């Protein structure tokens, strides 16, 4: 196996390991899951191309976030998302602070895996009806109107229910993380 | 405004520049940093963690990218790129073909699209609500095997053997989660990159075969038989080489263990997949003495509602030409077939030169408006090869399913024409043709698969095997033709054989059944010969 191939395999394993945080970084900034998937794919392509050239990347997670940030900005500019890019100074400051948040998370052992394990338990403890609602919103990515239609609730009721469910899940995850079992 | 409210405004795109500055200032504090990280991690991860989720994971995204890039790049550079990923290098051309085929097959219309094919599931007991059948295509779901052994193939190419009490969540074409039980994964060549999560680890196949066991206490035992596997455990990623084994428990360091990994092929061989004639619902072996017969006197076989017949006047549709002959001629003494058949005689039906169309009604129609799976097989031979000039014009042979209630309106047809390329055609979806021609001058084994769905798209697949091609105990990874986005409703109760051209053709062993092994001459299986 060539040195480049080995580097790409190592990078692939690391990319998989870091996928949750990188996914959160990109999805959180973009607020569009389809665009986020495109950016993640492009980050991987650029990373593997860089490694094939023999480039040594010291901090892969930070490198990926840097590339993702540029791609996200390009996406915003292409879509002329005026509200987001209008005040570039405020936006730069925000993105710098977000980068600091994720760099800190990188340094924490089990940061994402502990939260996701807790999230699994929290999701499992929800009533079937709530899981169905979340599934329509997050898995099937159904429009609010369709969710309202399928669940027989009003648009406003669905919106409030989803906000409450999301808050309840966050609270549940935080509560579980405070227990010793998630902080080995 | 609270951090949660500001994050909500960022999320719905309504945040102002001042509010963004306020949020930025808050994020200097660890408490608010945690709020953002928790919020965004939930937002991006929730789709993958709900029951039935099939949202593309990052692994899938990586693989998709490779497929996309493969489609974009010239063949030589693409091969280099793919091979750099795969310890088990395929020939460059094969990579191109498989990659593009896989990309095309991998297209799905919605999140509920099927991602897995069941290859083998004999004597299995499934926990409710699962009732899994061989050949079935499965959408993302939880598989709960109570007893027995099953083999499934993910659309990404990885094959997985489940044995004993096993709970497996099918997540995508390249990803699953093992919650309990015992599996062996074979993900070689193009299938490399398959990801298997367990309660205590994430495993990434790097072109290999490996066994995984998850016990009730959620400890994971990983044994690698070939190649290597990357595993992420406790925030650390390592690779495990062939011949090594490790035990992974949450909050504990990985521990080396001993013991050989069970092998995929060995377990399949021990399960002894055998022919399932009991599941064959239609059979015609043309087991008659040599000679010419009136179609109405050809009545043997199984699953037929009547004898063979010619077309009626009403069935002469379009630019149909009348039959050149009206008899059915049985011939014998032709070369021995390469596939060993459990059959009672050696007769074959001769479809003479000119136009020859013969019809036989089936007892059980293919009800395209109901859920079900049907396979068919048929053998053809061309003792005298048609001239190239003839091929260009009119050589054609087909097996077609039609409805006696409405002969002309809907049909499902399998065959090849002058260019020798297998195709599937139907009134409702047109013609889908293979890029590859069939081998010339050989006995050919036709095998088709029809997945009928009451709701959603039907899936039709077709492959013609040459006599040098190996058959396996289960259906192939690739077919000559796959036709999707098909929605048929007709009840197809007629089997129509048709041949046109300047050379006679022999037809034999028409079989229709509900599984691969009910129609395929399994005694020919090279891999499982004693």
């Amino acid at each position: 196996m060539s040195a480049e191939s080995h580097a790409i395999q190592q990078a692939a394993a690391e990319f998989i390991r870091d996928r949750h945080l990188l996914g959160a970084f990109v999805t959180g900034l973009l607020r569009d899951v389809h665009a986020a998937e495109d950016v993640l794919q492009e980050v991987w392509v650029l990373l593997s191309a860089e490694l094939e050239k023999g480039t040594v990347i010291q901090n892969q997670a930070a490198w990926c976030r840097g590339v993702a940030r540029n791609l996200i900005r390009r996406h915003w500019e292409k879509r002329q998302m005026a509200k987001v890019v209008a005040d570039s100074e405020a936006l730069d400051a925000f993105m710098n602070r977000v980068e600091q948040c994720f760099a800190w998370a990188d340094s924490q052992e089990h940061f994402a895996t502990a939260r996701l394990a807790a999230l699994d338990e929290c999701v499992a403890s929800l009533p079937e009806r709530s899981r169905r609602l979340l599934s329509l919103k997050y898995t099937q990515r159904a429009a609010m109107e369709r969710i309202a239609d399928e669940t027989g609730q009003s648009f406003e009721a669905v919106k409030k229910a989803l906000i409450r469910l999301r808050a309840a899940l966050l609270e549940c995850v935080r509560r579980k993380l405070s227990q010793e079992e998630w902080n080995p | 405004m609270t951090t949660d409210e500001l994050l909500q405004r960022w999320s719905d795109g309504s945040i102002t520049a001042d509010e963004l500055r306020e949020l930025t200032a808050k994020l200097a504090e660890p408490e608010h940093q945690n709020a953002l990280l928790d919020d965004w991690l939930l937002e991006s991860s929730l789709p993958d963690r709900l029951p039935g989720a099939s949202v593309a994971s990052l692994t899938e995204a990586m693989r998709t990218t490779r497929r996309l890039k493969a489609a974009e790049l010239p063949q030589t550079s693409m091969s280099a790129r793919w091979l750099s990923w795969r310890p088990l290098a395929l020939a460059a051309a094969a990579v191109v073909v498989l990659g593009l085929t896989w990309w095309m097959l991998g297209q799905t219309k919605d999140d509920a699209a099927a991602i897995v094919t069941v290859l083998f599931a004999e004597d299995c007991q499934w926990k409710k609500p699962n009732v899994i059948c061989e050949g079935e295509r499965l959408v993302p779901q939880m598989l709960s095997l109570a007893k027995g052994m099953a083999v499934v193939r993910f659309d990404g190419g990885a094959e997985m053997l489940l044995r004993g009490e096993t709970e497996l969540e099918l997540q995508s074409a390249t990803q699953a989660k093992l919650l309990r039980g015992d599996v062996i994964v074979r993900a070689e060549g193009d299938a490399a990159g398959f990801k298997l999560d367990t309660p205590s680890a994430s495993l990434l196949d790097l072109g290999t075969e490996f066994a995984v066991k998850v016990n009730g206490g959620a400890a994971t035992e990983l044994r690698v038989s070939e190649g290597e596997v990357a595993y992420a455990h406790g925030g650390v990623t390592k690779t495990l080489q062939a011949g090594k084994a490790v035990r992974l428990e949450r909050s504990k360091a990985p521990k080396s263990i001993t013991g050989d990994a069970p092998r995929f092929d060995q377990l399949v061989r021990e399960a002894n997949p055998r022919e399932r004639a009991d599941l064959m619902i239609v059979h015609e072996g043309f087991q008659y003495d040599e000679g010419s017969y009136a179609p109405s006197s050809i009545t043997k076989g199984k699953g037929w509602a009547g004898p063979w017949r010619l077309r009626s006047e009403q069935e002469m549709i379009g630019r149909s030409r009348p039959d050149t002959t009206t008899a059915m001629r049985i011939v014998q003494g032709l070369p021995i077939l390469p596939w060993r058949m459990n059959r009672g005689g050696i007769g074959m039906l001769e479809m003479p030169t000119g136009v020859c169309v013969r019809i036989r009604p089936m007892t059980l129609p293919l009800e395209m408006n109901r859920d079900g799976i049907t396979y068919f097989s048929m053998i053809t031979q061309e003792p005298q090869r048609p001239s190239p000039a003839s091929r260009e014009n009119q050589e054609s042979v087909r097996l077609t399913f039609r409805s006696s209630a409405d002969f002309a309106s809907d049909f499902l047809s399998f065959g090849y024409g002058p260019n020798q390329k297998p195709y599937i055609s139907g009134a409702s979806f047109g013609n889908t043709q293979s890029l590859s021609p069939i081998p010339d001058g050989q006995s050919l084994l036709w095998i088709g698969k029809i997945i009928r769905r009451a709701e959603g798209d039907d899936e039709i697949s077709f492959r013609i095997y040459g006599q040098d091609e190996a058959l396996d105990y289960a259906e192939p990874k690739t077919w000559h033709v796959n036709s999707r986005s098909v929605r048929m409703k007709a009840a197809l109760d007629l089997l129509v054989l048709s041949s046109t051209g300047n050379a006679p053709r022999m037809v034999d062993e028409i079989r229709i059944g509900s599984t691969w092994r009910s129609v395929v001459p399994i005694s020919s299986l090279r891999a499982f010969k004693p």
Side-chain angles (χ1 to χ4, degrees):
Chain A
M1 189 186 297
S2 71
E4 288 76 20
S5 298
H6 183 70
I8 290 176
Q9 283 201 357
Q10 291 285 343
E14 203 173 319
F15 203 74
I16 294 299
R17 186 196 68 194
D18 296 338
R19 68 196 183 281
H20 300 302
L21 278 174
L22 183 60
F25 178 83
V26 174
T27 310
L29 282 174
L30 271 173
R31 300 157 301 163
D32 175 341
V33 287
H34 298 294
E37 282 173 11
D38 290 344
V39 166
L40 288 169
Q41 290 182 23
E42 194 58 29
V43 169
W44 170 250
V45 169
L46 293 169
L47 174 64
S48 54
E50 205 62 30
L51 293 168
E52 278 180 356
K53 283 193 287 183
T55 307
V56 176
I57 295 171
Q58 296 294 346
N59 184 339
Q60 184 172 303
W63 187 94
C64 289
R65 283 197 299 273
V67 170
R69 188 171 155 168
N70 291 334
L71 293 170
I72 290 167
R73 185 173 279 283
R74 196 191 302 166
H75 171 83
W76 283 335
E77 287 166 358
K78 201 185 293 180
R79 299 288 176 91
Q80 297 181 320
M81 299 176 79
K83 203 163 200 173
V84 179
V85 295
D87 190 332
S88 60
E89 197 180 318
L91 191 60
D92 276 342
F94 174 66
M95 290 176 85
N96 288 339
R97 193 52 61 75
V98 169
E99 168 56 28
Q100 288 171 12
C101 292
F102 278 83
W104 173 80
D106 282 345
S107 68
Q108 305 300 302
E109 197 177 18
H110 307 307
F111 184 90
T113 49
R115 277 160 179 73
L116 295 176
L119 179 60
D120 284 344
E121 294 203 352
C122 293
V123 168
S125 68
L126 288 173
E128 178 56 38
R129 192 177 166 197
S130 300
R131 283 207 299 271
R132 166 81 180 140
L133 196 59
L134 288 171
S135 184
L136 283 167
K137 162 80 174 161
Y138 289 97
T139 304
Q140 298 185 30
R141 295 170 186 167
M144 293 291 271
E145 290 81 1
R146 196 191 124 201
I147 299 175
D149 197 37
E150 289 208 8
T151 57
Q153 299 178 62
S154 69
F155 182 93
E156 277 306 312
V158 167
K159 192 176 168 187
K160 282 181 185 167
L162 283 168
I163 290 173
R164 276 200 304 272
L165 267 174
R166 208 165 181 285
L169 280 176
L170 281 171
E171 181 52 36
C172 175
V173 169
R174 285 170 191 158
R175 196 171 58 248
K176 284 188 179 293
L177 287 171
S178 68
Q179 297 165 6
E180 194 177 355
E181 61 178 304
W182 299 115
N183 291 295
Chain B
M1 203 175 286
T2 67
T3 307
D4 285 346
E5 286 168 336
L6 288 167
L7 286 170
Q8 180 60 39
R9 289 179 73 76
W10 168 263
S11 179
D12 63 25
S14 63
I15 199 165
T16 65
D18 284 342
E19 288 165 349
L20 191 59
R21 287 191 194 93
E22 186 184 346
L23 178 58
T24 305
K26 280 176 178 280
L27 290 176
E29 300 296 324
E31 173 196 349
H32 302 296
Q33 288 182 0
N34 267 326
L36 177 136
L37 289 164
D38 288 349
D39 188 72
W40 287 12
L41 196 56
L42 180 84
E43 183 72 23
S44 66
S45 304
L46 204 45
D48 284 328
R49 315 196 89 77
L50 292 163
S54 64
V55 177
S57 67
L58 206 53
T59 321
E60 176 69 6
M62 291 160 67
R63 296 173 63 84
T64 303
T65 305
R66 286 148 63 192
R67 296 198 294 264
L68 283 168
K69 290 293 162 188
E72 287 168 5
L73 292 167
Q75 184 170 331
T76 48
S77 62
M78 175 181 70
S79 304
R81 188 181 193 91
W82 278 66
L83 292 173
S84 72
W85 263 92
R86 293 179 174 72
L88 297 175
L90 297 171
V95 172
V96 175
V97 172
L98 287 173
L100 292 176
T101 304
W102 181 33
W103 164 240
M104 288 186 284
L105 292 178
Q107 297 302 291
T108 55
K109 290 181 75 175
D110 53 54
D111 286 343
I115 53 167
V116 163
T117 304
V118 181
L119 300 183
F120 181 79
E122 197 161 81
D123 300 328
C124 284
Q125 285 181 19
W126 300 93
K127 292 179 188 169
K128 289 180 180 177
N130 294 131
V131 180
I132 307 295
C133 305
E134 277 183 31
E136 194 171 345
R137 298 269 297 148
L138 304 177
V139 298
Q141 61 183 276
M142 183 68 75
L143 281 188
S144 295
L145 178 64
K147 193 178 170 187
M149 188 187 98
V151 181
V152 298
R153 179 187 292 135
F154 289 77
D155 283 4
E159 292 181 4
M160 182 183 285
L161 185 151
L162 295 74
R163 53 182 189 150
E165 189 171 359
T166 302
E167 297 207 1
L168 178 78
E169 185 182 350
L170 308 176
Q171 297 179 323
S172 77
T174 57
Q175 184 169 338
K177 183 170 185 178
L178 179 64
L179 301 173
R180 168 193 288 267
D182 213 347
V183 302
I184 301 172
V185 178
R186 185 166 61 185
E188 300 165 332
D190 193 51
F194 181 80
K195 182 169 172 284
L196 182 66
D197 284 332
T198 72
S200 57
S202 282
L203 315 174
L204 178 68
D205 171 87
L206 299 174
T208 187
E209 181 179 317
F210 62 96
V212 183
K213 189 173 189 175
V214 173
N215 63 24
T220 299
E221 289 182 4
L222 166 65
R223 290 181 165 83
V224 182
S225 310
E226 286 180 10
E228 56 184 7
V229 174
Y231 65 88
H233 172 256
V236 177
T237 302
K238 293 184 179 176
T239 55
L240 196 67
Q241 312 296 321
K244 304 285 186 187
V246 68
R247 182 180 173 88
L248 306 165
E249 284 185 85
R250 195 182 282 172
S251 308
K252 290 185 181 176
K255 183 182 175 187
S256 291
I257 53 175
T258 55
D260 292 336
R263 298 308 302 264
F264 197 105
D265 277 346
Q266 178 66 27
L267 289 173
V268 173
R269 198 176 294 118
E270 285 171 8
N272 189 25
R274 60 196 184 283
E275 195 162 319
R276 291 297 304 268
D278 54 318
L279 298 177
M280 195 193 305
I281 51 179
V282 175
H283 178 237
E284 173 61 274
F286 299 107
Q287 293 162 6
Y288 298 87
D289 293 335
E290 187 163 290
S292 286
Y293 297 81
S296 60
S297 63
I298 303 289
T299 57
K300 290 183 186 174
K302 173 183 175 183
W304 302 104
W308 288 92
R309 64 175 175 83
L310 304 174
R311 286 169 294 174
S312 66
E313 272 189 36
Q314 293 75 25
E315 290 166 346
M316 299 288 287
I317 50 180
R319 291 183 296 171
S320 298
R321 290 177 290 158
D323 285 279
T324 309
T325 64
T326 57
M328 290 184 77
R329 180 170 161 73
I330 303 296
V331 295
Q332 294 184 346
L334 288 164
I336 293 170
L337 295 172
W339 302 285
R340 285 185 284 170
M341 300 282 190
N342 295 321
R343 51 204 287 261
I346 54 171
M348 300 179 85
L349 174 68
E350 183 186 73
M351 307 283 279
T353 57
V355 176
C356 180
V357 181
R358 300 291 183 266
I359 300 172
R360 194 163 189 189
M362 300 183 294
T363 305
L364 297 173
L366 302 185
E367 294 182 284
M368 299 303 291
N369 62 343
R370 299 180 66 174
D371 291 328
I373 302 172
T374 302
Y375 291 81
F376 79 84
S377 68
M378 180 173 81
I379 289 172
T380 61
Q381 277 189 347
E382 288 181 348
Q384 301 164 29
R385 297 174 62 187
S387 68
S390 172
R391 283 209 187 288
E392 285 171 16
N393 295 319
Q394 53 186 321
E395 299 299 330
S396 164
V397 56
R398 292 200 295 175
L399 182 153
T400 304
F401 296 101
R402 288 186 180 272
S403 167
S404 58
D406 192 352
F407 190 85
S409 69
D410 211 352
F411 64 89
L412 188 52
S413 194
F414 302 81
Y416 62 88
N419 61 12
Q420 300 278 93
K421 293 177 179 175
Y423 67 79
I424 301 169
S425 70
S428 59
F429 62 93
N431 190 323
T432 305
Q433 185 173 264
S434 169
L435 297 173
S436 314
I438 55 172
D440 221 354
Q442 293 190 8
S443 296
L444 303 171
L445 176 65
W446 300 29
I447 303 179
K449 180 181 182 184
I450 304 158
I451 300 181
R452 299 168 277 121
R453 293 200 172 94
E455 301 292 334
D457 293 348
D458 305 317
E459 292 181 42
I460 321 290
S461 307
F462 181 39
R463 177 163 171 169
I464 297 182
Y465 283 80
Q467 58 196 43
D468 296 328
E469 290 182 274
L471 292 163
D472 208 344
Y473 74 98
E475 64 184 75
K477 278 184 185 173
T478 54
W479 299 80
H480 272 129
V481 200
N482 285 284
S483 177
R484 296 194 179 180
S485 300
V486 176
R487 294 203 175 191
M488 294 178 66
K489 297 295 173 198
L492 306 173
D493 61 341
L494 298 178
L495 186 144
V496 183
L497 287 178
S498 49
S499 172
T500 58
N502 293 324
R505 294 186 179 86
M506 307 302 156
V507 173
D508 200 4
E509 279 299 315
I510 300 169
R511 298 175 172 189
I512 300 175
S514 59
T515 68
W516 170 264
R517 290 185 289 133
S518 67
V519 302
V520 169
I522 201 144
S523 54
S524 306
L525 298 186
R526 298 172 189 184
F528 296 97
K529 278 183 190 173

